[in-house]
Amino acid sequence: VQLQASGGGLVQAGGSLRLSCTASGSFFSIKRMGWYRQASGKQRELVATMDSADNTNYGDADSVKGRFTISRDNGQNTVYLQMNSLKPEDTGVYYCGADIVTIVAGTIDYWGPGTLVTVSS
């Protein structure tokens, strides 16, 4: 199983980016899929996740409220993060994570390699 993310880059403050992450390989299903970020010198934090029933969890809701939206295409095993009105403090490496029900080993947490988002002021 692999997670492959894309969509990061350099954007000016106030701009938008859309991240996507696709799970590939052999597995039964994906329970929860989402995004975490890690700014330089800080711990990784939850940005947003969505489960198979489309329930969402925005970790630090105040910091992303009204600006970030997570969505999911279960048929494509893909999760998206639409980021609008970006701020310099949104800068960091964004990691895709997923709880995947594997064929032989139960549910395992998988991580993608991360995609860098840089917001300039």
Side-chain angles (χ1 to χ4, degrees), residues 38-53:
Q38 187 167 17
S40 179
K42 295 186 177 181
Q43 289 186 331
R44 188 176 300 187
E45 63 176 359
L46 167 67
V47 177
T49 60
M50 178 178 276
D51 66 18
S52 56

Side-chain angles (χ1 to χ4, degrees), residues 9 21 25 36 39 50 54 69 73 80 105-106 113 120:
C21 175
Y36 301 75
M50 178 178 276
D54 292 345
T69 303
D73 183 337
Y80 304 97
S120 62

Side-chain angles (χ1 to χ4, degrees), residues 86-104:
L86 283 160
K87 304 176 181 180
E89 51 263 43
D90 295 317
T91 294
V93 179
Y94 284 67
Y95 295 93
C96 174
D99 301 336
I100 294 179
V101 182
T102 64
I103 294 174
V104 298

